[in-house]
């Protein structure tokens, strides 16, 4: 495997003139990152050794918030096990299949940059260019990557007007997003080289589309194709190598690709705090912009109609209006109780399970039992959390 | 600094009630501008003893939305981190905006209190226009409006930032002192006052000038910088600088200059197709169709289809008419090989419709039109239009066409000269629908809905007469929709 080959740290060439002992080299490998700050101040290529989406996003945020980029540019690359990443101002329920992701064990994360929703797995390379604000230039970064890939493989890649990298003029292989702060900025994008397309389509198919009004950023769907379909030698390791070296080459500096552990508190103090926030429900779902759903269900068998209007704020039910045209008092009581109990509940399986559980209805008339069960099912369907 | 002649609590009350606070040497009163008699107000305004301002303690600074770069002129406000009345420090985050995938955190340039938010969440904010109003805290400097200022790393200790406005009226000073300050371009608020009641004296100005000429020591890191302490070099003693120029942005395609790029993707495919088509000897045949009865027919049908959510234009009917006519002239529904040695009469009528998508010109085809009803064709066209706009047309849809139509009339034009898409042998271009005067059977001038059609065919295979007869048959179907009903399968 390429990544285990020993890469001679740059500073050894500059500072040390004797052969290092095994112990020293081991210690130096651990300190490689902080040392290289001084030896190669202007440009760095970092690659993550973990495939946990929250850890990788936490490190990217750490670099953006804490690192001084006045005279430095960083290219950070990583890959994740299957997960879905939504933009800062997106609505996860509208962008992907939230209950299905839970069942399949696919992580859902919200990043701090804008843009649309993407599916990640090990066949998806993420690149993040962290630079100071005066150097922020998305087009330049994408052109760099296109030049790097086209110079090594014979693929028809270009950057289109929406700043997506398109393959053969038709297929999107990359989605881009960026974040600008007071001094630091980053521009990151994905690169599909061998992603599982069926999983992608399953994950990004939202069941909660009907009757929803939302001002959240919507994703633009496009046809995709994997780079490995053009040339099977394109994979994570080769892409990291090619893009990393192109980055150094265009900067006109010598440098090595650094493999780092994003969880290492000694190099990145405070990164675990970012990770904890990234994993929390409040960040992932609570940051959803306001939206509302308006559904009507009709049952010919029972001869009733149900109207369900819910307003959601910060991922919680802010207002619920459940009206059933069945005139019996028990049903009306049930809908009123349901309305009251749903208020303030988080739109997540655990919270809603308690409210929408099946009650004991044996004391009721058969028709009413059916109506109440049907109302329950409709609510489950409308709220789409897979209760 | 600015001396106050009314109490802070009174001032706050006035501000909240949008009253004007009038201060003067002899009169300390609060006049509600709304109710002030016009004559009194005029007198007060004109009087040299008084000056009025809505702000006593600090100026209200309009903080404009600074240039984000990339030629972006408007953004969406996504989240506010402050409310009216909150205190913000310099470099605190005010709001988050988003513009086409870039999420930008806007930070405050001043210390002060938020007095007004110009937008709500999800509103569109314009770059260069006011975003918030901040009432400056005493001592807070106001710098000139937006631009990328390279010395923004000045520390928080340094309250006398670059590019100060000259608003000396709030500070007490004699006219001579004011003139001296103006000559030396000094803001009186920045000068430490040693006189009675915070008055700035001539000696203060002179010592301030002397201080400015000696270089200052480097300041500690400012609080907005990353946690890792970095030694920030303090900028040299500042003289008020002119308005900095906005940063030059690199446009992707420079305006007014030559630009070369490699032709790739869909455009490259189009180059290939059209180069091939150039070898086909083509002839043209044009005609005009009286669509009056079709217009009436569509008016009746439109309501029905649109209630089912299907957009119904004239295209489904035109496509079906083409298919009916092709049944009588199967040679027009054939394909030839590259050397024109073999001709294949295709059984399926796969009619391609030229579409202008964000990616370029594509021609997806509706398959087996001979078996579809007009409603089916309408549904299929809707579906392909949606997919085309989203760039999601599949290969199956883009290949296999046997006859093509281009509805260029939607954009404009009457007659055209469409280019055949090999290996097909014919193509038609439909002009726009116009109301024109024509003669009827009795010789009267009536208004008719006229659409022009331009056919192009491969003269190696198709004769002019064949094309003319096909066009006449097709035209008869459109001019008399009842005939279509007669021959529809």
């Amino acid at each position: 495997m390429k990544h285990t080959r020993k890469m001679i740290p740059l500073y050894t060439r500059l500072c040390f003139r004797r052969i290092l002992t095994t112990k020293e080299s081991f210690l130096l490998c651990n300190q490689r990152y902080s040392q290289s700050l001084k030896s190669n101040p202007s440009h760095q290529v970092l690659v993550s050794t973990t495939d946990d989406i929250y850890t990788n996003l936490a490190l990217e945020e750490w670099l953006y918030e804490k690192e001084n980029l006045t005279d430095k540019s960083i290219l950070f690359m990583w890959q994740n096990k299957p997960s879905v990443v939504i933009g800062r101002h997106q609505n996860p329920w509208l962008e992907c299949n939230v209950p299905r992701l839970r069942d399949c064990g696919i992580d859902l994360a919200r990043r701090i940059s804008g843009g649309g929703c993407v599916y990640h797995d090990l066949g998806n390379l993420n690149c993040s260019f962290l630079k100071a604000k005066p150097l922020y230039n998305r087009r330049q970064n994408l052109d760099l990557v296109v030049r790097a890939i086209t110079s090594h493989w014979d693929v028809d890649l270009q950057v289109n007007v929406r700043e997506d990298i398109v393959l053969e003029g038709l297929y999107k292989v990359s989605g881009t997003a960026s974040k600008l702060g007071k001094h630091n900025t980053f521009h990151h994008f994905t690169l599909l080289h061998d992603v599982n397309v069926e999983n992608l389509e399953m994950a990004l198919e939202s069941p909660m589309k009907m009757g929803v009004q939302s001002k959240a950023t919507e994703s633009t769907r496009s046809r995709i194709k994997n780079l490995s379909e053009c040339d099977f030698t394109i994979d994570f390791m080769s892409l990291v190598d090619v893009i990393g070296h192109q980055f150094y080459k265009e900067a006109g500096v010598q440098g090595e690709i650094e493999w780092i552990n994003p969880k290492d508190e000694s190099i990145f103090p405070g990164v675990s705090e970012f990770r904890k926030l990234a994993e929390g429900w409040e960040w992932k779902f609570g940051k959803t912009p306001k939206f509302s759903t308006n559904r009507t269900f009709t049952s010919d068998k029972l001869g009733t109609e149900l109207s369900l209007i819910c307003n959601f704020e910060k991922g919680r039910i802010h207002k619920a209006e459940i009206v059933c045209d069945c005139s019996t008092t028990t049903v009306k009581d049930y809908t009123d109780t349901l309305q009251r109990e749903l208020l303030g509940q988080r739109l997540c399986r655990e919270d809603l399970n308690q409210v929408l559980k099946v009650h004991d209805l044996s004391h009721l008339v058969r028709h009413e039992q059916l109506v109440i069960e049907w109302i329950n099912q409709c609510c489950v369907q409308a709220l789409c959390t897979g209760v | 600094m600015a001396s106050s002649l009314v109490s802070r609590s009174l001032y706050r009350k006035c501000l909240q009630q949008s009253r004007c606070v009038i201060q003067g040497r002899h009169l300390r009163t609060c006049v509600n501008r709304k109710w002030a008699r016009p004559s009194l107000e005029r007198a007060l305004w004109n009087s040299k003893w008084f000056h009025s301002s809505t702000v006593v303690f600090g100026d209200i600074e309009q903080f404009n939305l600074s240039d984000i770069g990339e030629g972006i002129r408007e953004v969406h406000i996504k989240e506010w981190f402050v409310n009216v009345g909150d205190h913000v420090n310099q470099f605190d985050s005010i709001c988050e905006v988003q513009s086409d995938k870039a999420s930008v955190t806007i930070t405050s340039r001043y210390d002060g209190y938020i007095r007004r938010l110009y937008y709500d969440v999800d509103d569109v904010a314009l770059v260069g226009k006011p975003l918030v109003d901040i009432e400056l805290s005493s001592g807070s400097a106001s710098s000139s409006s937006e631009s990328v200022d390279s010395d923004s790393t000045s520390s928080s200790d340094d309250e006398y930032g670059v590019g100060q406005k000259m608003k000396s009226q709030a500070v007490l000073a004699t006219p001579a002192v004011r003139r001296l300050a103006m000559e030396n371009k000094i803001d009186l608020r920045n000068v430490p006052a040693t006189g009675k009641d915070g008055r700035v004296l001539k000696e203060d100005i002179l010592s301030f000038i002397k201080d400015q000429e000696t270089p200052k020591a480097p300041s500690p890191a400012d609080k907005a910088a990353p946690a890792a302490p970095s030694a920030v070099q303090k900028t040299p003693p500042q003289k008020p600088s002119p308005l900095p120029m906005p940063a030059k942005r690199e446009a992707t395609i420079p305006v007014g200059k030559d630009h070369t790029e490699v032709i790739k993707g869909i455009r490259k495919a189009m180059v290939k197709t059209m180069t091939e088509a150039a070898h086909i000897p083509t002839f043209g045949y044009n005609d005009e169709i009286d669509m009056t009865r079709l217009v009436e027919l569509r008016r009746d049908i439109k309501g029905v289809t649109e209630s089912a959510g299907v957009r119904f234009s004239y295209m489904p009917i035109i496509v079906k008419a083409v298919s009916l006519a092709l049944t009588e002239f199967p040679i027009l529904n054939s394909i030839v090989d590259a050397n024109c040695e073999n001709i294949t009469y295709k059984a399926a009528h796969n009619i391609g419709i030229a579409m202008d998508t964000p990616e370029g010109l594509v021609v997806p085809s509706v398959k087996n039109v001979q078996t579809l009803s007009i409603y089916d064709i309408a549904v299929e066209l809707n579906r392909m239009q949606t997919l085309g706009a989203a760039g999601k047309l599949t290969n199956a849809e883009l290949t296999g066409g046997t006859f093509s139509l281009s509805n260029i009339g939607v954009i404009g034009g009457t007659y055209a000269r469409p280019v055949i898409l090999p290996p097909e042998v014919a193509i038609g271009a439909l002009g726009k629908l116009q109301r024109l005067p024509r003669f009827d059977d009795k010789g009267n001038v009536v208004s008719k809905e006229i659409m022009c059609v331009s056919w192009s065919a491969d003269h190696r295979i198709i004769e002019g007469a064949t094309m003319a007869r096909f066009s006449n048959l097709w035209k008869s179907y459109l001019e008399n929709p009842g005939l279509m009903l007669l021959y529809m399968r």
Side-chain angles (χ1 to χ4, degrees), chain B residues 289-295 314 318 433 449-451 478:
Chain B
I289 322 289
D290 176 6
M291 301 271 278
T292 319
R293 289 169 77 168
L294 209 57
V295 168
Y314 297 101
I318 291 174
L433 199 56
E449 305 278 350
I450 303 289
M451 181 182 76
L478 293 182

Side-chain angles (χ1 to χ4, degrees), chain B residues 64-126:
Chain B
N64 293 344
L65 180 59
S66 50
D67 185 20
I68 295 174
E70 302 176 306
I72 291 166
R73 305 281 12 121
E74 53 185 43
V75 294
H76 283 97
I77 304 282
K78 285 297 178 183
E79 197 178 340
W80 283 108
F81 300 125
V82 295
N83 287 314
V84 174
D86 286 352
H87 183 263
V88 287
N89 294 313
Q90 199 183 17
F91 305 129
D92 279 355
S93 300
I94 292 186
C95 66
E96 184 137 323
V97 302
Q98 180 166 282
S99 79
D100 189 35
K101 307 174 213 175
S103 184
V104 189
T105 309
I106 307 290
T107 52
S108 172
R109 204 175 289 131
Y110 319 112
D111 294 341
Y113 293 88
I114 302 287
R115 286 295 166 225
R116 184 179 167 185
L117 304 179
Y118 280 79
Y119 302 100
D120 283 328
V121 172
D122 290 323
D123 283 350
V124 174
L126 300 171

Side-chain angles (χ1 to χ4, degrees), chain B residues 41-53:
Chain B
E41 203 178 40
R42 239 196 332 270
L44 288 170
W45 279 108
N46 288 339
S47 164
K48 63 181 176 186
W49 295 109
F50 305 103
H51 81 268
S52 82
S53 67

Side-chain angles (χ1 to χ4, degrees), chain A residues 317-322 332-345 355:
Chain A
I317 299 178
H318 182 67
K319 194 179 94 166
E321 219 176 84
I322 306 175
K332 258 196 82 51
D333 285 340
Y334 179 73
T335 49
D336 287 340
T337 328
L338 202 58
Q339 231 172 260
R340 244 191 350 263
E341 285 180 3
L342 280 176
L343 264 180
Q345 296 291 341
V355 177

